[in-house]
Short mmCIF file of all heavy atoms in Angstrom, two decimals:
data_model
loop_
_atom_site.label_atom_id
_atom_site.label_comp_id
_atom_site.label_asym_id
_atom_site.label_seq_id
_atom_site.Cartn_x
_atom_site.Cartn_y
_atom_site.Cartn_z
N GLN A 297 -141.09 -211.50 110.57
CA GLN A 297 -140.27 -212.36 109.71
C GLN A 297 -139.61 -213.47 110.52
O GLN A 297 -139.62 -214.63 110.11
CB GLN A 297 -139.21 -211.51 109.00
CG GLN A 297 -138.66 -212.19 107.76
CD GLN A 297 -137.60 -211.33 107.08
OE1 GLN A 297 -137.28 -210.23 107.56
NE2 GLN A 297 -137.05 -211.83 106.00
N LEU A 298 -139.10 -213.10 111.69
CA LEU A 298 -138.48 -214.10 112.57
C LEU A 298 -139.48 -215.18 112.98
O LEU A 298 -139.12 -216.34 113.14
CB LEU A 298 -137.95 -213.41 113.83
CG LEU A 298 -136.47 -213.06 113.83
CD1 LEU A 298 -136.12 -212.28 115.09
CD2 LEU A 298 -135.61 -214.34 113.73
N ALA A 299 -140.73 -214.78 113.15
CA ALA A 299 -141.78 -215.72 113.56
C ALA A 299 -142.36 -216.49 112.37
O ALA A 299 -143.30 -217.27 112.52
CB ALA A 299 -142.88 -214.97 114.30
N GLY A 300 -141.81 -216.24 111.17
CA GLY A 300 -142.29 -216.93 109.97
C GLY A 300 -143.63 -216.43 109.48
O GLY A 300 -144.38 -217.13 108.81
N ILE A 301 -143.93 -215.16 109.79
CA ILE A 301 -145.22 -214.58 109.39
C ILE A 301 -144.98 -213.54 108.29
O ILE A 301 -144.23 -212.58 108.50
CB ILE A 301 -145.91 -213.90 110.60
CG1 ILE A 301 -146.24 -214.95 111.66
CG2 ILE A 301 -147.16 -213.15 110.16
CD1 ILE A 301 -146.67 -214.36 113.01
N PRO A 302 -145.61 -213.71 107.13
CA PRO A 302 -145.42 -212.74 106.05
C PRO A 302 -146.15 -211.42 106.32
O PRO A 302 -147.20 -211.41 106.97
CB PRO A 302 -146.02 -213.44 104.82
CG PRO A 302 -146.97 -214.45 105.36
CD PRO A 302 -146.52 -214.82 106.75
N SER A 303 -145.58 -210.33 105.86
CA SER A 303 -146.24 -209.02 105.94
C SER A 303 -145.81 -208.23 104.72
O SER A 303 -144.91 -208.64 104.00
CB SER A 303 -145.86 -208.29 107.23
OG SER A 303 -144.48 -207.97 107.21
N ALA A 304 -146.47 -207.10 104.44
CA ALA A 304 -146.14 -206.32 103.25
C ALA A 304 -146.43 -204.85 103.48
O ALA A 304 -147.29 -204.50 104.30
CB ALA A 304 -146.94 -206.82 102.06
N VAL A 305 -145.72 -203.99 102.75
CA VAL A 305 -145.96 -202.56 102.83
C VAL A 305 -146.61 -202.09 101.53
O VAL A 305 -146.03 -202.16 100.46
CB VAL A 305 -144.63 -201.80 103.06
CG1 VAL A 305 -144.88 -200.29 102.96
CG2 VAL A 305 -144.05 -202.15 104.42
N HIS A 306 -147.86 -201.66 101.65
CA HIS A 306 -148.60 -201.10 100.50
C HIS A 306 -148.91 -199.64 100.79
O HIS A 306 -149.83 -199.36 101.50
CB HIS A 306 -149.92 -201.80 100.27
CG HIS A 306 -149.84 -203.27 100.15
ND1 HIS A 306 -150.19 -204.15 101.14
CD2 HIS A 306 -149.43 -204.03 99.10
CE1 HIS A 306 -150.01 -205.39 100.73
NE2 HIS A 306 -149.56 -205.35 99.51
N TYR A 307 -148.11 -198.68 100.36
CA TYR A 307 -147.00 -198.76 99.43
C TYR A 307 -145.87 -197.95 100.03
O TYR A 307 -146.13 -196.90 100.62
CB TYR A 307 -147.45 -198.24 98.07
CG TYR A 307 -148.58 -199.11 97.52
CD1 TYR A 307 -149.91 -198.80 97.81
CD2 TYR A 307 -148.30 -200.27 96.81
CE1 TYR A 307 -150.93 -199.62 97.36
CE2 TYR A 307 -149.33 -201.09 96.35
CZ TYR A 307 -150.64 -200.76 96.64
OH TYR A 307 -151.65 -201.58 96.22
N PRO A 308 -144.63 -198.35 99.87
CA PRO A 308 -143.53 -197.68 100.58
C PRO A 308 -143.23 -196.27 100.08
O PRO A 308 -142.67 -195.47 100.82
CB PRO A 308 -142.34 -198.61 100.33
CG PRO A 308 -142.72 -199.44 99.15
CD PRO A 308 -144.20 -199.53 99.12
N LEU A 309 -143.60 -195.96 98.84
CA LEU A 309 -143.32 -194.63 98.29
C LEU A 309 -144.56 -194.15 97.54
O LEU A 309 -145.01 -194.80 96.60
CB LEU A 309 -142.12 -194.72 97.33
CG LEU A 309 -141.48 -193.41 96.87
CD1 LEU A 309 -140.89 -192.63 98.04
CD2 LEU A 309 -140.39 -193.69 95.83
N PRO A 310 -145.14 -192.99 97.95
CA PRO A 310 -146.32 -192.49 97.24
C PRO A 310 -146.00 -192.19 95.78
O PRO A 310 -144.83 -191.93 95.44
CB PRO A 310 -146.69 -191.22 98.00
CG PRO A 310 -145.92 -191.25 99.27
CD PRO A 310 -144.72 -192.12 99.05
N ILE A 311 -147.01 -192.19 94.94
CA ILE A 311 -146.78 -192.09 93.49
C ILE A 311 -146.13 -190.76 93.11
O ILE A 311 -145.27 -190.72 92.23
CB ILE A 311 -148.10 -192.31 92.71
CG1 ILE A 311 -148.67 -193.69 93.05
CG2 ILE A 311 -147.85 -192.17 91.20
CD1 ILE A 311 -150.02 -193.99 92.41
N HIS A 312 -146.50 -189.66 93.81
CA HIS A 312 -145.93 -188.36 93.42
C HIS A 312 -144.44 -188.29 93.72
O HIS A 312 -143.76 -187.37 93.25
CB HIS A 312 -146.67 -187.21 94.12
CG HIS A 312 -146.47 -187.17 95.60
ND1 HIS A 312 -147.06 -188.06 96.47
CD2 HIS A 312 -145.70 -186.35 96.37
CE1 HIS A 312 -146.68 -187.78 97.70
NE2 HIS A 312 -145.86 -186.76 97.67
N GLN A 313 -143.91 -189.27 94.46
CA GLN A 313 -142.47 -189.31 94.75
C GLN A 313 -141.75 -190.39 93.95
O GLN A 313 -140.54 -190.57 94.10
CB GLN A 313 -142.23 -189.54 96.24
CG GLN A 313 -142.75 -188.39 97.11
CD GLN A 313 -142.47 -188.61 98.59
OE1 GLN A 313 -142.66 -189.71 99.10
NE2 GLN A 313 -142.05 -187.57 99.28
N GLN A 314 -142.47 -191.14 93.14
CA GLN A 314 -141.84 -192.18 92.32
C GLN A 314 -141.00 -191.52 91.22
O GLN A 314 -141.43 -190.53 90.63
CB GLN A 314 -142.92 -193.08 91.68
CG GLN A 314 -143.70 -193.92 92.68
CD GLN A 314 -142.89 -195.07 93.25
OE1 GLN A 314 -141.80 -195.39 92.76
NE2 GLN A 314 -143.41 -195.69 94.30
N PRO A 315 -139.83 -192.10 90.93
CA PRO A 315 -138.94 -191.46 89.95
C PRO A 315 -139.63 -191.10 88.62
O PRO A 315 -139.39 -190.03 88.07
CB PRO A 315 -137.85 -192.53 89.73
CG PRO A 315 -137.85 -193.32 90.99
CD PRO A 315 -139.25 -193.28 91.54
N ALA A 316 -140.50 -191.97 88.11
CA ALA A 316 -141.12 -191.71 86.81
C ALA A 316 -142.26 -190.71 86.89
O ALA A 316 -142.79 -190.27 85.86
CB ALA A 316 -141.61 -193.01 86.19
N TYR A 317 -142.68 -190.35 88.10
CA TYR A 317 -143.86 -189.49 88.26
C TYR A 317 -143.58 -188.18 88.97
O TYR A 317 -144.44 -187.31 89.04
CB TYR A 317 -144.96 -190.26 89.03
CG TYR A 317 -145.54 -191.40 88.23
CD1 TYR A 317 -144.88 -192.62 88.12
CD2 TYR A 317 -146.76 -191.26 87.57
CE1 TYR A 317 -145.40 -193.66 87.36
CE2 TYR A 317 -147.29 -192.29 86.82
CZ TYR A 317 -146.61 -193.49 86.72
OH TYR A 317 -147.13 -194.50 85.97
N ALA A 318 -142.37 -188.05 89.52
CA ALA A 318 -142.07 -186.90 90.38
C ALA A 318 -142.10 -185.57 89.63
O ALA A 318 -142.25 -184.51 90.24
CB ALA A 318 -140.72 -187.10 91.06
N HIS A 319 -141.98 -185.62 88.28
CA HIS A 319 -141.96 -184.36 87.53
C HIS A 319 -143.36 -183.78 87.34
O HIS A 319 -143.50 -182.63 86.92
CB HIS A 319 -141.28 -184.54 86.17
CG HIS A 319 -142.02 -185.46 85.25
ND1 HIS A 319 -142.02 -186.83 85.40
CD2 HIS A 319 -142.81 -185.19 84.18
CE1 HIS A 319 -142.76 -187.37 84.44
NE2 HIS A 319 -143.25 -186.40 83.69
N PHE A 320 -144.41 -184.56 87.64
CA PHE A 320 -145.76 -184.00 87.52
C PHE A 320 -146.00 -183.06 88.68
O PHE A 320 -145.69 -183.38 89.83
CB PHE A 320 -146.82 -185.10 87.50
CG PHE A 320 -146.77 -185.95 86.27
CD1 PHE A 320 -146.30 -187.25 86.32
CD2 PHE A 320 -147.17 -185.43 85.04
CE1 PHE A 320 -146.24 -188.03 85.17
CE2 PHE A 320 -147.11 -186.20 83.89
CZ PHE A 320 -146.64 -187.51 83.96
N ASP A 321 -146.55 -181.92 88.33
CA ASP A 321 -146.84 -180.89 89.33
C ASP A 321 -147.82 -181.44 90.37
O ASP A 321 -148.77 -182.13 90.03
CB ASP A 321 -147.43 -179.70 88.55
CG ASP A 321 -148.23 -178.79 89.44
OD1 ASP A 321 -147.68 -178.38 90.48
OD2 ASP A 321 -149.39 -178.51 89.10
N HIS A 322 -147.56 -181.19 91.62
CA HIS A 322 -148.50 -181.64 92.65
C HIS A 322 -148.41 -180.75 93.87
O HIS A 322 -147.36 -180.17 94.15
CB HIS A 322 -148.23 -183.09 93.05
CG HIS A 322 -146.87 -183.29 93.62
ND1 HIS A 322 -146.56 -183.04 94.93
CD2 HIS A 322 -145.70 -183.69 93.04
CE1 HIS A 322 -145.29 -183.28 95.14
NE2 HIS A 322 -144.74 -183.66 94.01
N ALA A 323 -149.53 -180.65 94.59
CA ALA A 323 -149.50 -179.94 95.86
C ALA A 323 -148.82 -180.84 96.90
O ALA A 323 -148.56 -182.01 96.63
CB ALA A 323 -150.93 -179.61 96.28
N ALA A 324 -148.55 -180.31 98.07
CA ALA A 324 -147.94 -181.12 99.12
C ALA A 324 -148.89 -182.25 99.50
O ALA A 324 -150.11 -182.07 99.52
CB ALA A 324 -147.66 -180.25 100.34
N CYS A 325 -148.34 -183.43 99.74
CA CYS A 325 -149.14 -184.59 100.14
C CYS A 325 -148.55 -185.19 101.41
O CYS A 325 -148.10 -186.35 101.41
CB CYS A 325 -149.20 -185.62 99.02
SG CYS A 325 -149.99 -185.02 97.52
N PRO A 326 -148.51 -184.41 102.52
CA PRO A 326 -147.83 -184.88 103.72
C PRO A 326 -148.50 -186.11 104.35
O PRO A 326 -147.80 -186.93 104.95
CB PRO A 326 -147.90 -183.67 104.67
CG PRO A 326 -149.05 -182.84 104.17
CD PRO A 326 -149.07 -183.05 102.68
N VAL A 327 -149.81 -186.24 104.21
CA VAL A 327 -150.48 -187.38 104.84
C VAL A 327 -150.11 -188.67 104.11
O VAL A 327 -149.78 -189.68 104.74
CB VAL A 327 -152.01 -187.18 104.88
CG1 VAL A 327 -152.68 -188.37 105.54
CG2 VAL A 327 -152.36 -185.89 105.61
N ALA A 328 -150.11 -188.64 102.78
CA ALA A 328 -149.70 -189.82 102.02
C ALA A 328 -148.27 -190.21 102.38
O ALA A 328 -147.95 -191.40 102.54
CB ALA A 328 -149.82 -189.56 100.52
N GLU A 329 -147.41 -189.21 102.55
CA GLU A 329 -146.01 -189.50 102.87
C GLU A 329 -145.88 -190.10 104.27
O GLU A 329 -145.09 -191.02 104.49
CB GLU A 329 -145.17 -188.21 102.73
CG GLU A 329 -145.04 -187.80 101.27
CD GLU A 329 -144.50 -186.38 101.06
OE1 GLU A 329 -143.83 -185.85 101.98
OE2 GLU A 329 -144.74 -185.81 99.98
N LEU A 330 -146.68 -189.59 105.19
CA LEU A 330 -146.67 -190.13 106.56
C LEU A 330 -147.16 -191.58 106.58
O LEU A 330 -146.54 -192.46 107.18
CB LEU A 330 -147.56 -189.26 107.46
CG LEU A 330 -147.70 -189.76 108.89
CD1 LEU A 330 -146.51 -189.33 109.72
CD2 LEU A 330 -148.99 -189.25 109.54
N LEU A 331 -148.28 -191.83 105.91
CA LEU A 331 -148.83 -193.18 105.89
C LEU A 331 -147.84 -194.16 105.25
O LEU A 331 -147.67 -195.28 105.73
CB LEU A 331 -150.17 -193.20 105.14
CG LEU A 331 -151.34 -192.47 105.84
CD1 LEU A 331 -152.57 -192.46 104.95
CD2 LEU A 331 -151.68 -193.12 107.17
N ALA A 332 -147.20 -193.72 104.17
CA ALA A 332 -146.25 -194.60 103.48
C ALA A 332 -145.11 -195.04 104.41
O ALA A 332 -144.56 -196.13 104.25
CB ALA A 332 -145.69 -193.90 102.25
N ARG A 333 -144.79 -194.19 105.40
CA ARG A 333 -143.71 -194.54 106.34
C ARG A 333 -144.16 -195.52 107.41
O ARG A 333 -143.33 -196.15 108.05
CB ARG A 333 -143.16 -193.27 107.02
CG ARG A 333 -142.26 -192.45 106.12
CD ARG A 333 -141.43 -191.45 106.93
NE ARG A 333 -142.26 -190.47 107.63
CZ ARG A 333 -142.72 -189.35 107.08
NH1 ARG A 333 -142.43 -189.06 105.81
NH2 ARG A 333 -143.46 -188.51 107.77
N HIS A 334 -145.47 -195.64 107.64
CA HIS A 334 -145.93 -196.43 108.78
C HIS A 334 -146.79 -197.64 108.45
O HIS A 334 -146.90 -198.55 109.27
CB HIS A 334 -146.67 -195.53 109.77
CG HIS A 334 -145.75 -194.60 110.49
ND1 HIS A 334 -144.86 -195.02 111.45
CD2 HIS A 334 -145.55 -193.27 110.34
CE1 HIS A 334 -144.16 -193.99 111.88
NE2 HIS A 334 -144.56 -192.91 111.23
N VAL A 335 -147.45 -197.66 107.28
CA VAL A 335 -148.40 -198.74 107.02
C VAL A 335 -147.73 -200.11 106.92
O VAL A 335 -146.62 -200.23 106.41
CB VAL A 335 -149.23 -198.51 105.73
CG1 VAL A 335 -150.22 -197.38 105.93
CG2 VAL A 335 -148.33 -198.27 104.53
N LEU A 336 -148.42 -201.09 107.44
CA LEU A 336 -147.95 -202.47 107.36
C LEU A 336 -149.17 -203.38 107.25
O LEU A 336 -150.06 -203.34 108.10
CB LEU A 336 -147.13 -202.82 108.61
CG LEU A 336 -146.50 -204.22 108.61
CD1 LEU A 336 -145.43 -204.34 107.52
CD2 LEU A 336 -145.87 -204.51 109.98
N SER A 337 -149.21 -204.18 106.17
CA SER A 337 -150.34 -205.08 105.95
C SER A 337 -150.01 -206.47 106.49
O SER A 337 -148.92 -207.00 106.26
CB SER A 337 -150.68 -205.15 104.46
OG SER A 337 -151.02 -203.87 103.99
N LEU A 338 -150.98 -207.02 107.19
CA LEU A 338 -150.80 -208.32 107.87
C LEU A 338 -151.52 -209.43 107.08
O LEU A 338 -152.38 -209.14 106.25
CB LEU A 338 -151.39 -208.23 109.28
CG LEU A 338 -150.82 -207.10 110.15
CD1 LEU A 338 -151.53 -207.06 111.50
CD2 LEU A 338 -149.31 -207.26 110.32
N PRO A 339 -151.21 -210.69 107.37
CA PRO A 339 -151.92 -211.77 106.70
C PRO A 339 -153.44 -211.58 106.84
O PRO A 339 -153.92 -211.22 107.92
CB PRO A 339 -151.45 -213.02 107.45
CG PRO A 339 -150.08 -212.66 107.92
CD PRO A 339 -150.17 -211.20 108.27
N MET A 340 -154.16 -211.79 105.76
CA MET A 340 -155.62 -211.58 105.76
C MET A 340 -156.22 -212.47 104.69
O MET A 340 -155.57 -212.76 103.69
CB MET A 340 -155.91 -210.10 105.47
CG MET A 340 -157.35 -209.73 105.14
SD MET A 340 -158.63 -210.41 106.19
CE MET A 340 -158.66 -209.28 107.56
N GLY A 341 -157.42 -212.91 104.91
CA GLY A 341 -158.14 -213.68 103.91
C GLY A 341 -159.19 -214.53 104.56
O GLY A 341 -159.16 -214.74 105.78
N PRO A 342 -160.13 -215.03 103.75
CA PRO A 342 -161.25 -215.81 104.30
C PRO A 342 -160.81 -217.15 104.89
O PRO A 342 -161.57 -217.76 105.63
CB PRO A 342 -162.17 -216.01 103.10
CG PRO A 342 -161.38 -215.67 101.90
CD PRO A 342 -160.27 -214.77 102.31
N TYR A 343 -159.60 -217.58 104.56
CA TYR A 343 -159.18 -218.91 105.02
C TYR A 343 -158.09 -218.80 106.08
O TYR A 343 -157.42 -219.78 106.40
CB TYR A 343 -158.76 -219.77 103.82
CG TYR A 343 -159.91 -219.84 102.84
CD1 TYR A 343 -159.96 -218.99 101.73
CD2 TYR A 343 -160.99 -220.68 103.07
CE1 TYR A 343 -161.05 -219.01 100.87
CE2 TYR A 343 -162.09 -220.71 102.21
CZ TYR A 343 -162.11 -219.86 101.12
OH TYR A 343 -163.20 -219.87 100.28
N LEU A 344 -157.93 -217.60 106.65
CA LEU A 344 -156.98 -217.43 107.76
C LEU A 344 -157.70 -217.81 109.06
O LEU A 344 -158.75 -217.25 109.38
CB LEU A 344 -156.51 -215.97 107.82
CG LEU A 344 -155.43 -215.66 108.87
CD1 LEU A 344 -154.08 -216.24 108.43
CD2 LEU A 344 -155.29 -214.16 109.10
N ALA A 345 -157.14 -218.75 109.79
CA ALA A 345 -157.77 -219.19 111.05
C ALA A 345 -157.68 -218.07 112.08
O ALA A 345 -156.70 -217.32 112.12
CB ALA A 345 -157.08 -220.44 111.56
N SER A 346 -158.70 -217.95 112.93
CA SER A 346 -158.68 -216.93 113.97
C SER A 346 -157.46 -217.10 114.88
O SER A 346 -156.87 -216.12 115.32
CB SER A 346 -159.96 -216.99 114.81
OG SER A 346 -161.07 -216.67 113.99
N ALA A 347 -157.10 -218.34 115.14
CA ALA A 347 -155.93 -218.60 116.00
C ALA A 347 -154.66 -218.04 115.36
O ALA A 347 -153.77 -217.52 116.06
CB ALA A 347 -155.78 -220.10 116.26
N ASP A 348 -154.58 -218.12 114.03
CA ASP A 348 -153.41 -217.56 113.33
C ASP A 348 -153.42 -216.03 113.42
O ASP A 348 -152.36 -215.41 113.63
CB ASP A 348 -153.39 -218.01 111.87
CG ASP A 348 -152.87 -219.44 111.72
OD1 ASP A 348 -152.19 -219.93 112.65
OD2 ASP A 348 -153.15 -220.07 110.68
N ALA A 349 -154.59 -215.43 113.26
CA ALA A 349 -154.69 -213.97 113.40
C ALA A 349 -154.26 -213.56 114.81
O ALA A 349 -153.58 -212.54 114.99
CB ALA A 349 -156.11 -213.50 113.10
#
Side-chain angles (χ1 to χ4, degrees):
Q297 200 181 0
L298 263 175
I301 297 169
S303 66
V305 173
H306 306 103
Y307 298 90
L309 193 62
I311 301 176
H312 68 286
Q313 296 182 316
Q314 293 287 349
Y317 291 79
H319 65 285
F320 292 108
D321 159 52
H322 61 82
C325 298
V327 180
E329 290 167 22
L330 176 81
L331 292 175
R333 284 196 298 275
H334 289 288
V335 289
L336 183 66
S337 300
L338 304 177
M340 168 46 84
Y343 304 97
L344 184 73
S346 296
D348 281 340

